[in-house]
Amino acid sequence: MDRWWRFKVRGLDCQNEVRLIKEVLVPLIGDEQRLSFQPKHGFLDVDVDSGIGVEAVIEAVSTTGMIAELITADAFTEDKAEADSCSSCSGEPVPAQQTLPDRPDSVIFKIHGMDCGDEVAVLKREVGPVVGLGNLSFDLINGRMSVVGTSDAVHHAGILKAVERAGMRAELWKDGKNSAGAQGEQRRRRIQAALTIGSGVLVATGFAIHVRASGLAAVLHESLARETHPPLLAMLAYSLAILSAVRYVAPKAILAARRLRPDMNLLMIVAVAGALGIGQWFEAATVAFFFALALALEAWSLGRARRAVAALMDIAPDTARIRDAAGVEKDVPVADVAVGTQVIVPPGGKIPLDGRVVAGTSAVDQAPITGESVPVTVTHGATVFAGTINGMGAIEIVTTRPASDTTLARIVRMVGEAQSKRAPTEQWVERFARIYTPVVMLLALAVFLVPPLLLGGSWAAWFYQALVLLVIACPCALVISTPVSIVAGLTGAAKQGVLVKGGIHLEMPARITAIAMDKTGTLTLGRPKVVELVPLGGRDELELLAIAAAIEARSEHPIARAILDAAAGRGVDVVPAKAVTALPGKGVVGTIGGREAWVGSPGYLGERLGGARDDALTLQLHRIAVAGLTGIIVGEAASVVGLIAVGDAVRPEARQVVAQLHELGIAQIVMLTGDSRAPAQAIGRDTGIDEVHAELLPEQKVEAIERLVAQHGLVAMVGDGVNDAPAMARSGLGIAMGAIGSDAAIETADIALMQDDLSRLPWLIRHSRATLAVIRQNIGFSLAIKLVFAGLTLLGMASLWGAIAADVGASLLVVLNGMRLVGRGERVQ
Ligand SMILES: Nc1ncnc2c1ncn2[C@@H]1O[C@H](COP(=O)(O)OP(=O)(O)OP(=O)(O)O)[C@@H](O)[C@H]1O
Ligand SMILES: [Zn+2]
């Protein structure tokens, strides 16, 4: 099996889809071994010898609603091409995952009534066939659904209809808070809340009348034997309570019944009807009320999570102060400010848009984005971000982004979308609930039939116990707890300047056993300086610098910047070289005055000189390496012009962070670098790194990651997200540092640390573990409550109202427990 077709499958991004594709393909080719998946990239590889044609694969995949596209007929050349293109590209690597709504050809709908994972599943079922499942993505927090590639109105109508079939209402998304739709949504929520409260009051009224007439014991479930009804007035109150409570439940229940997919709405309606059937008015009314309360609670908790994300967005002002053509200053809405507009930011004001400083100097507090409150000094040319707070100096900026696309707007959008990338525990809970509910329903049926038939129990009594079991079958607390905890965890992280791009990535840091770190810019500050100039072959220092700077003039490498700074510092006139080519991981070559010149690593020197040795040079290089510096060799044609020793300071927090990571149980911390062995090892010793891999070419970094993954399983790769993109993509979890100014880093990484500060790394691991702990507590607690009531029921000791009250109580507790994660970071610094 060495020849593969590789398909890019739109919509393939998690194990669920892998299963779907396997279901359709395995019967066609007979052997699962002939398929391999990389959900992270959306790749599906099919063995060429599996006896199936390309068309057949595409066709089969399309039946799942996803779209497969053949991208290459040979995985090996493709792998290499990918590594090459990423390592040699100087600027933007291809983002590993495209976030759907960023695509210009996508249309976004606001979906009214979409508040939980269930509804997303229904929408996928109804809308998926209309537009292709792969084109759909959901943002539960903001109630948004985006569809790729629908520009025509006919299609829109079809989508709106499909959403209606799913029992919800869609409208085109409009930015801005007060669209008619949002108001309608608010109105619906208010009505729902009012009906729920009304229902509660009516239950209490009915209860009071009922107790006065029949006594407390009779009301609370003692009256089964007697064929008495509550007083007429109490019956009226109970009926009204039930009607207002089921106003929003009944339509969903009917939908579920029609589709033969029993869900908790249907369950509740059946329980209420059953209780009425045996004359248990009080119980029927309490069940209806408490269930409405549980739904209101779910909507409220999601609303709170929504507001927490919206609060992030609110930190950017609505207006910007610009100077118009006549030179008059005026405030305009940020949405109307074009890119390239000059904006005035007063002292103490919030920066309205991303931009570059063109006048003034100030200290900017970036805490709203990075979570770090130490101000950053900005002057002419510095980049500033919407939502950050200007210090004491007035500055003027030229905007570089429209309001809808600022760094902050992207963060908010990504946190919103992160939610729809389901975490493993979330998927587990959903699968569990799908099995749990029907099983308990069957158990209820057994409880109803078995004791009266076989043991001579009373029909009415056991029918009642069966209803109790039906109520227990409702997985409310269980289903609500995980998404709420995850949204809270994502939001809490975002508030600390840690952008986690999916529920799935929020659980991973807790589980990693090894971390690979890039050296330059990650363990070191990434701002190398020229420490020493060693001219050789009769040249002087300035000649050496002039040649090196000429070659480096166009390079973006940190070493190039160091050399150019040194040249500028000594007043060297830099004439950029011609025909400059970067050799990733090795150096740079070009021509100066018609002669070839180069700058590069000792390894590259070896390549140039072939077998020839130069003892003086070797000695100098050794001396530089022992001092922990990086030796760069400058040459012209076949002769060496000199050496430049470059030093990059280790981050002050690096040592402590590595120690903390060890304490957290990360067994292996590995440094990957293109630099020479000696300086790399010096830094490794300084920081307490376990293992140093030096002199790696970019593609060797990828191989090193693959080896680590094979050895340790889940490995995180920490880098800058730009040069390290290929290695990050191969690791289980790509973490980019200092991402605030780099969109490429934000796009490629699974987790982006906005600040340029390593200490967020142990924080992230602790946060991830705290999130997992909360989720486990919640799952354990909800299941325990259910077990207790199931036991009580089998003993004939439970009551309907007790079961439902416990359910609602449990829901409330798990929601509150999950919400703790939003504010968690503020205490742990
Ligand atoms: N523009 C350049 N100028 C001079 N030397 C270079 C240049 N680019 C690469 N090199 C040489 O190649 C080596 C490896 O470069 P590479 O960019 O792979 O790693 P690095 O940035 O030094 O370290 P890290 O891998 O930790 O980021 C450098 O140490 C240097 O010796
Ligand atoms: Zn419930």
Side-chain angles (χ1 to χ4, degrees):
M1 285 218 304
D2 46 13
R3 290 184 48 240
W4 298 82
W5 289 312
R6 172 159 290 183
F7 296 87
K8 169 93 189 152
V9 182
R10 263 209 261 160
L12 168 67
D13 48 27
C14 77
Q15 290 306 322
N16 275 337
E17 282 106 30
V18 168
R19 222 185 36 243
L20 275 175
I21 293 181
K22 276 191 186 160
E23 269 168 24
V24 299
L25 282 182
V26 172
L28 295 179
I29 59 174
D31 182 2
E32 203 170 293
Q33 302 299 318
R34 293 178 187 275
L35 297 176
S36 77
F37 295 88
Q38 288 183 48
K40 190 157 180 172
H41 303 277
F43 290 157
L44 156 70
D45 294 344
V46 181
D47 188 351
V48 172
D49 302 325
S50 57
I52 184 176
V54 170
E55 289 305 314
V57 173
I58 292 174
E59 166 113 27
V61 171
S62 73
T63 62
T64 65
M66 288 172 260
I67 300 167
E69 215 177 317
L70 185 68
I71 51 175
T72 170
D74 189 332
F76 292 105
T77 53
E78 136 73 13
D79 267 352
K80 225 174 148 326
E82 188 189 51
D84 281 349
S85 70
C86 281
S87 57
S88 58
C89 64
S90 49
E92 309 255 316
V94 191
Q97 0 170 260
Q98 204 113 37
T99 39
L100 288 173
D102 277 345
R103 300 179 46 147
D105 59 339
S106 72
V107 181
I108 298 173
F109 294 90
K110 167 86 196 166
I111 309 286
H112 299 284
M114 174 173 88
D115 337 281
C116 77
D118 278 358
E119 277 128 14
V120 170
V122 177
L123 281 169
K124 277 191 182 160
R125 235 180 3 251
E126 293 295 340
V127 187
V130 179
V131 298
L133 203 53
N135 293 331
L136 276 180
S137 76
F138 295 90
D139 166 4
L140 202 49
I141 298 187
N142 296 306
R144 307 197 313 174
M145 170 178 83
S146 84
V147 185
V148 175
T150 34
S151 38
D152 54 296
V154 189
H155 217 142
H156 284 186
I159 294 171
L160 297 186
K161 277 226 186 65
V163 174
E164 250 166 55
R165 275 200 303 278
M168 282 159 262
R169 197 165 60 75
E171 64 171 340
L172 275 179
W173 176 268
K174 285 182 224 65
D175 271 329
K177 290 167 198 158
N178 287 323
S179 80
Q183 276 171 0
E185 183 75 7
Q186 270 176 12
R187 201 164 46 238
R188 196 187 86 104
R189 292 226 181 291
R190 271 203 299 276
I191 294 174
Q192 187 179 358
L195 283 177
T196 307
I197 295 170
S199 172
V201 172
L202 285 164
V203 170
T205 315
F207 182 68
I209 300 170
H210 196 172
V211 168
R212 276 193 58 183
S214 329
L216 189 62
V219 177
L220 297 181
H221 166 213
E222 302 283 270
S223 58
L224 269 179
R226 284 180 287 140
E227 285 291 313
T228 55
H229 287 295
L232 207 62
L233 215 54
M235 268 164 70
L236 185 68
Y238 285 149
S239 322
L240 287 176
I242 293 172
L243 285 179
S244 41
V246 302
R247 164 70 184 82
Y248 288 105
V249 182
K252 289 184 188 171
I254 292 168
L255 207 71
R258 276 225 306 267
R259 284 177 206 294
L260 295 177
R261 279 174 195 271
D263 63 359
M264 51 189 191
N265 301 300
L266 184 59
L267 232 77
M268 282 303 129
I269 296 290
V270 170
V272 171
L276 282 179
I278 52 172
Q280 295 297 310
W281 285 83
F282 165 68
E283 308 261 2
T286 31
V287 169
F289 160 63
F290 274 125
F291 187 64
L293 190 62
L295 290 186
L297 182 70
E298 191 171 342
W300 169 81
S301 61
L302 227 95
R304 257 205 65 170
R306 253 173 224 175
R307 276 193 299 281
V309 177
L312 289 174
M313 194 68 217
D314 270 349
I315 56 188
D318 296 331
T319 61
R321 175 158 302 177
I322 62 164
R323 224 189 302 269
D324 66 9
V328 183
E329 285 184 17
K330 61 174 185 186
D331 288 336
V332 295
V334 284
D336 299 344
V337 178
V339 170
T341 309
Q342 191 147 338
V343 171
I344 300 151
V345 187
K350 280 189 180 165
I351 292 169
L353 290 155
D354 286 7
R356 222 178 5 262
V357 177
V358 289
T361 300
S362 186
V364 171
D365 175 1
Q366 297 187 332
I369 291 184
T370 62
E372 166 63 65
S373 52
V374 177
V376 178
T377 308
V378 298
T379 63
H380 191 274
T383 311
V384 292
F385 302 94
T388 57
I389 302 153
N390 188 18
M392 296 326 286
I395 51 175
E396 290 191 23
I397 64 172
V398 167
T399 60
T400 50
R401 289 286 178 74
S404 58
D405 200 32
T406 60
T407 302
L408 182 63
R410 281 161 174 254
I411 293 174
V412 171
R413 200 154 59 217
M414 282 177 178
V415 174
E417 277 158 23
Q419 232 262 142
S420 60
K421 295 181 190 142
R422 314 222 118 193
T425 42
E426 222 171 329
Q427 290 170 9
W428 179 87
V429 165
E430 273 170 26
R431 269 199 309 276
F432 181 83
R434 267 206 295 279
I435 301 166
Y436 172 81
T437 302
V439 165
V440 183
M441 283 171 84
L442 283 180
L443 195 63
L445 198 65
V447 163
F448 172 47
L449 294 177
V450 173
L453 284 180
L454 301 183
L455 308 171
S458 114
W459 285 100
W462 287 104
F463 181 68
Y464 180 85
Q465 297 303 335
L467 289 181
V468 176
L469 262 184
L470 272 191
V471 172
I472 294 173
C474 172
C476 272
L478 190 64
V479 168
I480 183 176
S481 68
T482 317
V484 164
S485 311
I486 291 200
V487 175
L490 291 171
T491 309
K495 283 170 98 178
Q496 291 298 305
V498 177
L499 176 58
V500 181
K501 302 225 318 241
I504 177 160
H505 305 305
L506 185 60
E507 291 187 8
M508 276 185 184
R511 301 199 170 107
I512 49 180
T513 49
I515 298 182
M517 293 198 203
D518 178 54
K519 189 196 77 171
T520 308
T522 304
L523 281 166
T524 66
L525 291 170
R527 290 190 293 268
K529 290 198 172 54
V530 170
V531 180
E532 195 188 342
L533 295 165
V534 187
L536 294 169
R539 308 295 184 112
D540 65 24
E541 293 194 350
L542 291 185
E543 280 172 290
L544 172 61
L545 256 184
I547 295 173
I551 298 289
E552 300 279 25
R554 300 269 179 270
S555 171
E556 296 287 321
H557 200 279
I559 291 176
R561 252 180 288 144
I563 291 175
L564 289 171
D565 284 351
R570 301 211 183 182
V572 172
D573 236 356
V574 178
V575 186
K578 302 236 156 47
V580 174
T581 313
L583 311 166
K586 296 176 185 171
V588 190
V589 293
T591 55
I592 302 174
R595 289 177 50 140
E596 194 185 23
W598 45 272
V599 177
S601 65
Y604 180 61
L605 174 76
E607 264 179 46
R608 290 226 51 129
L609 298 186
R613 284 178 44 135
D614 181 330
D615 288 334
L617 190 62
T618 312
L619 215 66
Q620 290 282 8
L621 270 176
H622 182 71
R623 185 179 59 78
I624 290 171
V626 168
L629 301 174
T630 301
I632 307 293
I633 299 119
V634 186
E636 229 174 10
S639 66
V640 173
V641 176
L643 296 177
I644 300 179
V646 176
D648 189 4
V650 174
R651 282 181 189 276
E653 75 273 16
R655 191 182 174 81
Q656 205 195 343
V657 165
V658 170
Q660 283 177 5
L661 291 174
H662 279 139
E663 259 169 53
L664 286 168
I666 310 294
Q668 202 68 355
I669 302 175
V670 180
M671 179 206 292
L672 304 180
T673 181
D675 202 352
S676 322
R677 187 146 292 129
Q681 273 167 350
I683 289 174
R685 266 195 309 278
D686 267 12
T687 49
I689 295 269
D690 299 299
E691 215 178 292
V692 174
H693 295 274
E695 293 170 23
L696 299 176
L697 296 176
E699 60 268 23
Q700 291 172 323
K701 285 192 187 174
V702 174
E703 286 162 18
I705 288 285
E706 280 169 353
R707 272 198 304 278
L708 280 172
V709 169
Q711 237 179 335
H712 296 280
L714 190 51
V715 175
M717 165 80 198
V718 189
D720 60 13
V722 182
N723 297 321
D724 311 315
M728 274 175 30
R730 275 329 143 83
S731 70
L733 183 71
I735 302 176
M737 272 188 54
I740 183 172
S742 160
D743 289 340
I746 295 182
E747 295 287 346
T748 2
D750 299 319
I751 296 180
L753 311 179
M754 289 299 153
Q755 283 185 58
D756 206 16
D757 176 3
L758 265 184
S759 54
R760 289 292 131 144
L761 208 52
W763 182 86
L764 171 67
I765 292 176
R766 285 196 297 267
H767 185 67
S768 170
R769 291 191 181 161
T771 306
L772 273 188
V774 166
I775 290 173
R776 291 209 184 100
Q777 289 158 11
N778 283 352
I779 292 177
F781 177 69
S782 349
L783 286 181
I785 291 272
K786 299 284 172 185
L787 266 178
V788 166
F789 269 85
L792 287 177
T793 313
L794 294 177
L795 295 174
M797 285 167 60
S799 67
L800 264 181
W801 65 268
I804 186 90
D807 190 40
V808 176
S811 298
L812 187 62
L813 283 178
V814 297
V815 164
L816 293 179
N817 194 26
M819 285 294 179
R820 288 190 304 139
L821 292 167
V822 173
R824 188 182 158 274
E826 280 140 36
R827 273 170 286 128
V828 189
Q829 266 300 337

